[in-house]
Amino acid sequence: MKTIISTDKAPAAIGPYSQAVKTGNLVFTSGVIPVDPKSGIIPEGAVAQAEQAISNLKNLLAESGCSMADVIKTTVFIKNMDDFANINEVYAKYFEQPFPARSCVEVARLPKDVLIEIEAIGLIK
């Protein structure tokens, strides 16, 4: 059985998908981009976009019954690998040890031409 998770504290889906899906004790988020869910504004620069995207992810996980500490895997998509170190600093502010498993991939283009997108798998305790 699956439960669809939706919140206005993260960007609305811009296609035929759910913000997150809960099944059993797992939560799978869709990719979250750095759109301010209230204003629709995308901040400038990789650091500001990382802050917004991860904050949006945190809100989505909270709606799902998870915290950042419950995340077991993330995938981070970035437009430019030169931004990796700066994005990593922001990431480290939100995730503490023991860190989740993570993949980070440079991609040619992301929705709305953002610089970062992040998805996660969380474990509900």
Side-chain angles (χ1 to χ4, degrees):
M1 187 165 105
K2 66 182 180 179
T3 303
I4 304 305
I5 306 300
S6 180
T7 180
D8 60 0
K9 295 179 181 172
I14 55 175
Y17 61 89
S18 301
Q19 286 176 306
V21 176
K22 183 177 1 178
T23 182
N25 64 344
L26 294 173
V27 171
F28 299 85
T29 74
S30 291
V32 180
I33 60 175
V35 175
D36 182 301
K38 292 178 184 162
S39 69
I41 293 173
I42 298 169
E44 293 289 325
V47 169
Q49 287 195 20
E51 287 279 357
Q52 184 67 61
I54 298 172
S55 176
N56 290 342
L57 177 67
K58 182 179 179 181
N59 292 337
L60 181 55
L61 289 166
E63 186 69 26
S64 304
C66 285
S67 71
M68 299 299 269
D70 299 320
V71 173
I72 56 175
K73 171 74 166 88
T74 64
T75 305
V76 181
F77 305 94
I78 59 177
K79 172 89 170 148
N80 187 340
M81 198 54 79
D82 291 340
D83 293 327
F84 179 80
N86 292 329
I87 289 170
N88 224 23
E89 286 184 30
V90 175
Y91 184 95
K93 291 185 339 187
Y94 287 86
F95 293 100
E96 298 176 357
Q97 290 191 22
F99 298 115
R102 180 180 77 181
S103 301
C104 183
V105 181
E106 181 181 67
V107 295
R109 195 167 181 202
L110 290 164
K112 297 188 179 262
D113 290 317
V114 299
L115 304 175
I116 181 173
E117 180 174 356
I118 184 169
E119 64 184 28
I121 301 170
L123 183 62
I124 301 170
K125 296 178 181 171

